[in-house]
Structure formats: C-alpha cells, structure tokens
Amino acid sequence: MTRRVTIKDVAEHAGTSYQTVSRVLNNKADVAPETRTRVLATIKMLNYRPSMAARLLGQDQDRTFTIANIIPYYDVDFVFENDHLMQQLHGIDLEATLRGYSLLLSTAHSGGDPMSSYARLLERQMVDGIIFESGLGEDGAQELVARGYKVVISGYTAGAIPCVRSDDESGTYVLTQHLLALGHRHIGVIMGPESAMPVHARWRGYERAMRDAALDPRHTPRAEGNYTFDGGYDAAARLMQAHGQQLTALLAFNDAMAIGAMRWLQEHGHAVPGDVSVAGFDDIPIAQFQTPSLTTIRLQSVEAGRRLAQTLFDILDGRPLSTTHAVIPTELKVRDSTTVPRRP
C-alpha cells in the first residue's frame, strides 16, 4: 500500500509547477511539447488519477469535494435498526452539504483484510477525507492515514487519530443511578458484543454506579445481545429464565435490545414496569412511542455526526483542532418503563 499521489507529487517528479501539471491535465495549449510529454510520462509512472469532480469544477486538482463514511456491515437487521447510526449520518451530510461536499457511504466487513472492502474507493482517489467507524479496527484507520488520507474516527481510539464519541460511561452511570434511586438492587444487564469499545465503557459506568451505592457489580446477571430487537428478546429470555425470581429491572446497552426485552417480558406475562422495569440507551425515535415509553439515555447523534464532519473539514483546511478526542455529552430521559421495584 502506497500513500495517495497528489498533483504536487507529479509536479515535483516532473520538475515543473503544479499549475503546469493542471494545464496538461486540462489539455491547455500553452504548454511546451517536451514539458507535456514529461508530465504525461510522470503521471503514468506515478499512477496519478486526478479528481473528475475537481476537473469539472475547474478547482484544486487534489480536491474531490467528496468525503466518505466507512461503517462496518454486520447484517441487514443491524443497519435498519440502528437509528443512532442513521441520525449520525444525517449530521455528517448536513455539514458536508453546507460546504458543497458530497457524502459517500461505504460498508466494510471487520474481518480479513481491512482494506479489501473499499479498495476501489481508495485506488480511484474518490474522496478527500474519511470518517472511519472504530468498529473496523485501529489498523484500518492507520493504513488510511499512511496512504495520505485525512481520517477522523467515529468512536474510540487509543492512537493519535482524531476521534469523536459519546460519553458512554457517564451515560450508563446516570442511568444506573436512576434505577438505584428507585430502589432496584437486582438488575440484569443486556450487553452488546464484547468486542465493541462502547460496551466496555458502558459497563464501567454501571460498575461505578453500583460501587458508589456499596453494591458489588460482579454479582450482576448479564447476557450478551447483538444490538438488535431480536438480540434483546433472546437475551431477556435467558436472563429471566435463569434469574427471573430475583430481577426487578433490566438495563440494555441500546434501545433496540431494550424494546426486544420488553416484548419478551410482555409476551410472557411480566408487566413493564410493574414487575420488571426496563431501561435502554440511545433514545432512538421509536423509544418514546413504545408502550410503555422507554426510559433511556439520549445520544446527541446528529450533533456527533456534525462534529465528526467539522473535525474532518478542519483537518482538510489546515485549521488547528481544539481537541483530538471530542466527547459528546448524554442526557437521561425518564419515561414510563421504569418505576419502583415490586414488593417481594
């Protein structure tokens, strides 16, 4: 993998200015024949592919006026049920539109070669910068940077690449405090996939709230879900079948799983919240229209998308960043799915 070739690289290798390279690319007549030949030979040698969009607009040859958002592809259910992702995409697109940019969406599998799923996008130099979902792995983001692309990570990173994420730990801390304040001491947790960094952050928030209440989080019954309605339904079944006599509340690490859990509880004769309170995380649009409406943590999904795009544009334009790790605050939304625990 080599870094992205720019018009300035061509000019340097050809021993001319980038304006001359631009005139050759646009077939202008005011270029000496020997210079034109040398520039064209250099373009071929370096495999330089100028932006079609920039050529049509007559602007900087190194700008495509397109950015990409590369997200993991889990399955069709995940894509259609992830309202947070859809709202974040909307926020990215809003900022791109304000600047006259287009947004290209690419899905990629997290297994195998991290570059193979979108190699054509990179080889054709179709975008100026990339918003990269952290679920695809740090190596993929580092490879993009090595190839000369400007990158912002949506989610968590241990490296130096700028990132924007929600305050998952504090959100779950506040949500757990809400359940504890109601009197719940026997809470079951529906986790997300263990490999997902937000899951670890949300669990840390739950642990901290329990310890602050002098309770041992290690005794918490847990079941892993896959962030879908069906995943929450199945996880609730496992928790209730194993611990249903004790549990008075279920806390799910996203709203889709919380809604799936409510469905299982209601189908099996458990009143929500009379028998079991249920809380979620994300505040997707459907959460407030459930029966009962769902207590949850609101993510500022559109704002997160806008901050991702703003950060990327700041990098593209050479502006200094106020922070390389932006954290978007969350908000507790108390609704009808939680109440005081049932009497023994």
Side-chain angles (χ1 to χ4, degrees), residues 134-159:
S134 60
L136 286 165
E138 191 84 16
D139 291 345
Q142 294 289 355
E143 182 63 37
L144 290 170
V145 172
R147 294 188 66 177
Y149 284 92
K150 307 302 183 185
V151 177
V152 177
I153 291 179
S154 172
Y156 291 78
T157 176

PDB file of all heavy atoms in Angstrom, residues 134-159:
ATOM      1  N   SER A 134     -14.947   3.123  14.418  1.00  0.00           N
ATOM      2  CA  SER A 134     -13.923   2.449  15.224  1.00  0.00           C
ATOM      3  C   SER A 134     -14.102   0.941  15.245  1.00  0.00           C
ATOM      4  O   SER A 134     -13.147   0.210  15.474  1.00  0.00           O
ATOM      5  CB  SER A 134     -13.924   2.997  16.647  1.00  0.00           C
ATOM      6  OG  SER A 134     -15.185   2.785  17.266  1.00  0.00           O
ATOM      7  N   GLY A 135     -15.332   0.457  15.002  1.00  0.00           N
ATOM      8  CA  GLY A 135     -15.577  -0.983  14.999  1.00  0.00           C
ATOM      9  C   GLY A 135     -14.810  -1.731  13.932  1.00  0.00           C
ATOM     10  O   GLY A 135     -14.682  -2.962  14.000  1.00  0.00           O
ATOM     11  N   LEU A 136     -14.276  -1.015  12.942  1.00  0.00           N
ATOM     12  CA  LEU A 136     -13.490  -1.657  11.894  1.00  0.00           C
ATOM     13  C   LEU A 136     -12.046  -1.890  12.309  1.00  0.00           C
ATOM     14  O   LEU A 136     -11.304  -2.556  11.591  1.00  0.00           O
ATOM     15  CB  LEU A 136     -13.537  -0.810  10.615  1.00  0.00           C
ATOM     16  CG  LEU A 136     -14.861  -0.862   9.862  1.00  0.00           C
ATOM     17  CD1 LEU A 136     -14.949   0.254   8.845  1.00  0.00           C
ATOM     18  CD2 LEU A 136     -15.034  -2.208   9.190  1.00  0.00           C
ATOM     19  N   GLY A 137     -11.630  -1.344  13.427  1.00  0.00           N
ATOM     20  CA  GLY A 137     -10.292  -1.613  13.936  1.00  0.00           C
ATOM     21  C   GLY A 137      -9.304  -0.496  13.673  1.00  0.00           C
ATOM     22  O   GLY A 137      -9.361   0.200  12.660  1.00  0.00           O
ATOM     23  N   GLU A 138      -8.381  -0.343  14.603  1.00  0.00           N
ATOM     24  CA  GLU A 138      -7.367   0.714  14.540  1.00  0.00           C
ATOM     25  C   GLU A 138      -6.437   0.553  13.338  1.00  0.00           C
ATOM     26  O   GLU A 138      -6.004   1.538  12.731  1.00  0.00           O
ATOM     27  CB  GLU A 138      -6.551   0.697  15.831  1.00  0.00           C
ATOM     28  CG  GLU A 138      -5.650   1.893  16.018  1.00  0.00           C
ATOM     29  CD  GLU A 138      -6.376   3.079  16.619  1.00  0.00           C
ATOM     30  OE1 GLU A 138      -7.472   2.882  17.167  1.00  0.00           O
ATOM     31  OE2 GLU A 138      -5.851   4.193  16.520  1.00  0.00           O
ATOM     32  N   ASP A 139      -6.128  -0.698  12.976  1.00  0.00           N
ATOM     33  CA  ASP A 139      -5.185  -0.925  11.877  1.00  0.00           C
ATOM     34  C   ASP A 139      -5.694  -0.346  10.567  1.00  0.00           C
ATOM     35  O   ASP A 139      -4.917   0.217   9.785  1.00  0.00           O
ATOM     36  CB  ASP A 139      -4.915  -2.421  11.711  1.00  0.00           C
ATOM     37  CG  ASP A 139      -4.111  -2.997  12.869  1.00  0.00           C
ATOM     38  OD1 ASP A 139      -3.530  -2.193  13.634  1.00  0.00           O
ATOM     39  OD2 ASP A 139      -4.071  -4.229  13.011  1.00  0.00           O
ATOM     40  N   GLY A 140      -6.995  -0.505  10.313  1.00  0.00           N
ATOM     41  CA  GLY A 140      -7.560   0.027   9.081  1.00  0.00           C
ATOM     42  C   GLY A 140      -7.432   1.536   9.013  1.00  0.00           C
ATOM     43  O   GLY A 140      -7.085   2.101   7.963  1.00  0.00           O
ATOM     44  N   ALA A 141      -7.693   2.222  10.134  1.00  0.00           N
ATOM     45  CA  ALA A 141      -7.576   3.675  10.166  1.00  0.00           C
ATOM     46  C   ALA A 141      -6.127   4.114   9.967  1.00  0.00           C
ATOM     47  O   ALA A 141      -5.841   5.070   9.235  1.00  0.00           O
ATOM     48  CB  ALA A 141      -8.125   4.213  11.495  1.00  0.00           C
ATOM     49  N   GLN A 142      -5.198   3.420  10.607  1.00  0.00           N
ATOM     50  CA  GLN A 142      -3.785   3.761  10.458  1.00  0.00           C
ATOM     51  C   GLN A 142      -3.325   3.568   9.018  1.00  0.00           C
ATOM     52  O   GLN A 142      -2.515   4.357   8.504  1.00  0.00           O
ATOM     53  CB  GLN A 142      -2.933   2.895  11.400  1.00  0.00           C
ATOM     54  CG  GLN A 142      -3.160   3.152  12.880  1.00  0.00           C
ATOM     55  CD  GLN A 142      -2.596   4.489  13.335  1.00  0.00           C
ATOM     56  OE1 GLN A 142      -1.952   5.203  12.583  1.00  0.00           O
ATOM     57  NE2 GLN A 142      -2.851   4.838  14.599  1.00  0.00           N
ATOM     58  N   GLU A 143      -3.828   2.536   8.352  1.00  0.00           N
ATOM     59  CA  GLU A 143      -3.459   2.294   6.959  1.00  0.00           C
ATOM     60  C   GLU A 143      -3.946   3.419   6.060  1.00  0.00           C
ATOM     61  O   GLU A 143      -3.246   3.851   5.138  1.00  0.00           O
ATOM     62  CB  GLU A 143      -4.028   0.953   6.495  1.00  0.00           C
ATOM     63  CG  GLU A 143      -3.659   0.583   5.067  1.00  0.00           C
ATOM     64  CD  GLU A 143      -2.160   0.415   4.879  1.00  0.00           C
ATOM     65  OE1 GLU A 143      -1.489  -0.093   5.797  1.00  0.00           O
ATOM     66  OE2 GLU A 143      -1.665   0.801   3.800  1.00  0.00           O
ATOM     67  N   LEU A 144      -5.141   3.911   6.325  1.00  0.00           N
ATOM     68  CA  LEU A 144      -5.671   5.036   5.547  1.00  0.00           C
ATOM     69  C   LEU A 144      -4.793   6.273   5.713  1.00  0.00           C
ATOM     70  O   LEU A 144      -4.500   6.982   4.742  1.00  0.00           O
ATOM     71  CB  LEU A 144      -7.104   5.345   5.986  1.00  0.00           C
ATOM     72  CG  LEU A 144      -8.166   4.312   5.622  1.00  0.00           C
ATOM     73  CD1 LEU A 144      -9.470   4.636   6.331  1.00  0.00           C
ATOM     74  CD2 LEU A 144      -8.377   4.255   4.120  1.00  0.00           C
ATOM     75  N   VAL A 145      -4.381   6.530   6.949  1.00  0.00           N
ATOM     76  CA  VAL A 145      -3.504   7.678   7.207  1.00  0.00           C
ATOM     77  C   VAL A 145      -2.177   7.498   6.478  1.00  0.00           C
ATOM     78  O   VAL A 145      -1.639   8.444   5.882  1.00  0.00           O
ATOM     79  CB  VAL A 145      -3.275   7.853   8.720  1.00  0.00           C
ATOM     80  CG1 VAL A 145      -2.213   8.914   8.995  1.00  0.00           C
ATOM     81  CG2 VAL A 145      -4.579   8.236   9.409  1.00  0.00           C
ATOM     82  N   ALA A 146      -1.639   6.278   6.507  1.00  0.00           N
ATOM     83  CA  ALA A 146      -0.371   6.009   5.835  1.00  0.00           C
ATOM     84  C   ALA A 146      -0.466   6.233   4.329  1.00  0.00           C
ATOM     85  O   ALA A 146       0.522   6.583   3.685  1.00  0.00           O
ATOM     86  CB  ALA A 146       0.077   4.579   6.124  1.00  0.00           C
ATOM     87  N   ARG A 147      -1.645   6.063   3.788  1.00  0.00           N
ATOM     88  CA  ARG A 147      -1.840   6.265   2.354  1.00  0.00           C
ATOM     89  C   ARG A 147      -2.133   7.723   1.989  1.00  0.00           C
ATOM     90  O   ARG A 147      -2.372   8.043   0.845  1.00  0.00           O
ATOM     91  CB  ARG A 147      -2.975   5.374   1.848  1.00  0.00           C
ATOM     92  CG  ARG A 147      -2.629   3.896   1.933  1.00  0.00           C
ATOM     93  CD  ARG A 147      -3.663   3.030   1.254  1.00  0.00           C
ATOM     94  NE  ARG A 147      -3.704   3.259  -0.179  1.00  0.00           N
ATOM     95  CZ  ARG A 147      -4.484   2.575  -1.016  1.00  0.00           C
ATOM     96  NH1 ARG A 147      -5.276   1.640  -0.542  1.00  0.00           N
ATOM     97  NH2 ARG A 147      -4.476   2.849  -2.298  1.00  0.00           N
ATOM     98  N   GLY A 148      -2.100   8.583   2.992  1.00  0.00           N
ATOM     99  CA  GLY A 148      -2.227  10.011   2.729  1.00  0.00           C
ATOM    100  C   GLY A 148      -3.605  10.589   2.916  1.00  0.00           C
ATOM    101  O   GLY A 148      -3.826  11.763   2.609  1.00  0.00           O
ATOM    102  N   TYR A 149      -4.537   9.801   3.435  1.00  0.00           N
ATOM    103  CA  TYR A 149      -5.891  10.309   3.626  1.00  0.00           C
ATOM    104  C   TYR A 149      -6.034  10.978   4.983  1.00  0.00           C
ATOM    105  O   TYR A 149      -5.406  10.577   5.967  1.00  0.00           O
ATOM    106  CB  TYR A 149      -6.911   9.174   3.501  1.00  0.00           C
ATOM    107  CG  TYR A 149      -7.144   8.755   2.074  1.00  0.00           C
ATOM    108  CD1 TYR A 149      -6.394   7.731   1.521  1.00  0.00           C
ATOM    109  CD2 TYR A 149      -8.077   9.403   1.280  1.00  0.00           C
ATOM    110  CE1 TYR A 149      -6.579   7.350   0.202  1.00  0.00           C
ATOM    111  CE2 TYR A 149      -8.270   9.034  -0.038  1.00  0.00           C
ATOM    112  CZ  TYR A 149      -7.516   8.010  -0.576  1.00  0.00           C
ATOM    113  OH  TYR A 149      -7.697   7.648  -1.888  1.00  0.00           O
ATOM    114  N   LYS A 150      -6.874  12.007   5.033  1.00  0.00           N
ATOM    115  CA  LYS A 150      -7.244  12.639   6.293  1.00  0.00           C
ATOM    116  C   LYS A 150      -8.366  11.810   6.903  1.00  0.00           C
ATOM    117  O   LYS A 150      -9.367  11.522   6.234  1.00  0.00           O
ATOM    118  CB  LYS A 150      -7.701  14.078   6.066  1.00  0.00           C
ATOM    119  CG  LYS A 150      -6.703  14.929   5.269  1.00  0.00           C
ATOM    120  CD  LYS A 150      -5.340  14.996   5.939  1.00  0.00           C
ATOM    121  CE  LYS A 150      -4.416  15.916   5.149  1.00  0.00           C
ATOM    122  NZ  LYS A 150      -3.046  15.923   5.695  1.00  0.00           N
ATOM    123  N   VAL A 151      -8.218  11.440   8.167  1.00  0.00           N
ATOM    124  CA  VAL A 151      -9.139  10.497   8.801  1.00  0.00           C
ATOM    125  C   VAL A 151      -9.591  11.020  10.158  1.00  0.00           C
ATOM    126  O   VAL A 151      -8.788  11.567  10.924  1.00  0.00           O
ATOM    127  CB  VAL A 151      -8.472   9.110   8.975  1.00  0.00           C
ATOM    128  CG1 VAL A 151      -9.410   8.143   9.704  1.00  0.00           C
ATOM    129  CG2 VAL A 151      -8.058   8.530   7.623  1.00  0.00           C
ATOM    130  N   VAL A 152     -10.871  10.844  10.446  1.00  0.00           N
ATOM    131  CA  VAL A 152     -11.427  11.067  11.774  1.00  0.00           C
ATOM    132  C   VAL A 152     -12.168   9.793  12.167  1.00  0.00           C
ATOM    133  O   VAL A 152     -12.900   9.225  11.350  1.00  0.00           O
ATOM    134  CB  VAL A 152     -12.389  12.263  11.809  1.00  0.00           C
ATOM    135  CG1 VAL A 152     -13.013  12.418  13.193  1.00  0.00           C
ATOM    136  CG2 VAL A 152     -11.663  13.539  11.415  1.00  0.00           C
ATOM    137  N   ILE A 153     -11.971   9.354  13.385  1.00  0.00           N
ATOM    138  CA  ILE A 153     -12.595   8.116  13.854  1.00  0.00           C
ATOM    139  C   ILE A 153     -13.882   8.434  14.601  1.00  0.00           C
ATOM    140  O   ILE A 153     -13.917   9.308  15.468  1.00  0.00           O
ATOM    141  CB  ILE A 153     -11.636   7.321  14.758  1.00  0.00           C
ATOM    142  CG1 ILE A 153     -10.475   6.768  13.919  1.00  0.00           C
ATOM    143  CG2 ILE A 153     -12.363   6.182  15.475  1.00  0.00           C
ATOM    144  CD1 ILE A 153      -9.459   5.999  14.729  1.00  0.00           C
ATOM    145  N   SER A 154     -14.934   7.729  14.242  1.00  0.00           N
ATOM    146  CA  SER A 154     -16.188   7.800  14.976  1.00  0.00           C
ATOM    147  C   SER A 154     -16.158   6.714  16.045  1.00  0.00           C
ATOM    148  O   SER A 154     -16.288   5.528  15.744  1.00  0.00           O
ATOM    149  CB  SER A 154     -17.377   7.572  14.033  1.00  0.00           C
ATOM    150  OG  SER A 154     -18.575   7.472  14.776  1.00  0.00           O
ATOM    151  N   GLY A 155     -15.940   7.125  17.286  1.00  0.00           N
ATOM    152  CA  GLY A 155     -15.845   6.149  18.366  1.00  0.00           C
ATOM    153  C   GLY A 155     -14.519   6.255  19.084  1.00  0.00           C
ATOM    154  O   GLY A 155     -13.949   7.339  19.218  1.00  0.00           O
ATOM    155  N   TYR A 156     -14.011   5.126  19.512  1.00  0.00           N
ATOM    156  CA  TYR A 156     -12.853   5.072  20.398  1.00  0.00           C
ATOM    157  C   TYR A 156     -11.570   4.783  19.631  1.00  0.00           C
ATOM    158  O   TYR A 156     -11.568   4.020  18.669  1.00  0.00           O
ATOM    159  CB  TYR A 156     -13.057   3.991  21.462  1.00  0.00           C
ATOM    160  CG  TYR A 156     -14.140   4.331  22.451  1.00  0.00           C
ATOM    161  CD1 TYR A 156     -15.487   4.176  22.114  1.00  0.00           C
ATOM    162  CD2 TYR A 156     -13.834   4.825  23.707  1.00  0.00           C
ATOM    163  CE1 TYR A 156     -16.491   4.497  23.015  1.00  0.00           C
ATOM    164  CE2 TYR A 156     -14.827   5.147  24.621  1.00  0.00           C
ATOM    165  CZ  TYR A 156     -16.151   4.976  24.265  1.00  0.00           C
ATOM    166  OH  TYR A 156     -17.141   5.302  25.153  1.00  0.00           O
ATOM    167  N   THR A 157     -10.477   5.399  20.076  1.00  0.00           N
ATOM    168  CA  THR A 157      -9.166   5.107  19.523  1.00  0.00           C
ATOM    169  C   THR A 157      -8.118   5.266  20.613  1.00  0.00           C
ATOM    170  O   THR A 157      -8.234   6.151  21.461  1.00  0.00           O
ATOM    171  CB  THR A 157      -8.827   6.021  18.332  1.00  0.00           C
ATOM    172  OG1 THR A 157      -7.497   5.757  17.890  1.00  0.00           O
ATOM    173  CG2 THR A 157      -8.922   7.489  18.711  1.00  0.00           C
ATOM    174  N   ALA A 158      -7.127   4.398  20.572  1.00  0.00           N
ATOM    175  CA  ALA A 158      -6.025   4.509  21.526  1.00  0.00           C
ATOM    176  C   ALA A 158      -4.867   5.288  20.925  1.00  0.00           C
ATOM    177  O   ALA A 158      -3.892   5.580  21.615  1.00  0.00           O
ATOM    178  CB  ALA A 158      -5.548   3.109  21.925  1.00  0.00           C
ATOM    179  N   GLY A 159      -4.962   5.620  19.645  1.00  0.00           N
ATOM    180  CA  GLY A 159      -3.872   6.291  18.963  1.00  0.00           C
ATOM    181  C   GLY A 159      -4.064   7.781  18.854  1.00  0.00           C
ATOM    182  O   GLY A 159      -4.845   8.396  19.589  1.00  0.00           O
TER     183      GLY A 159
END
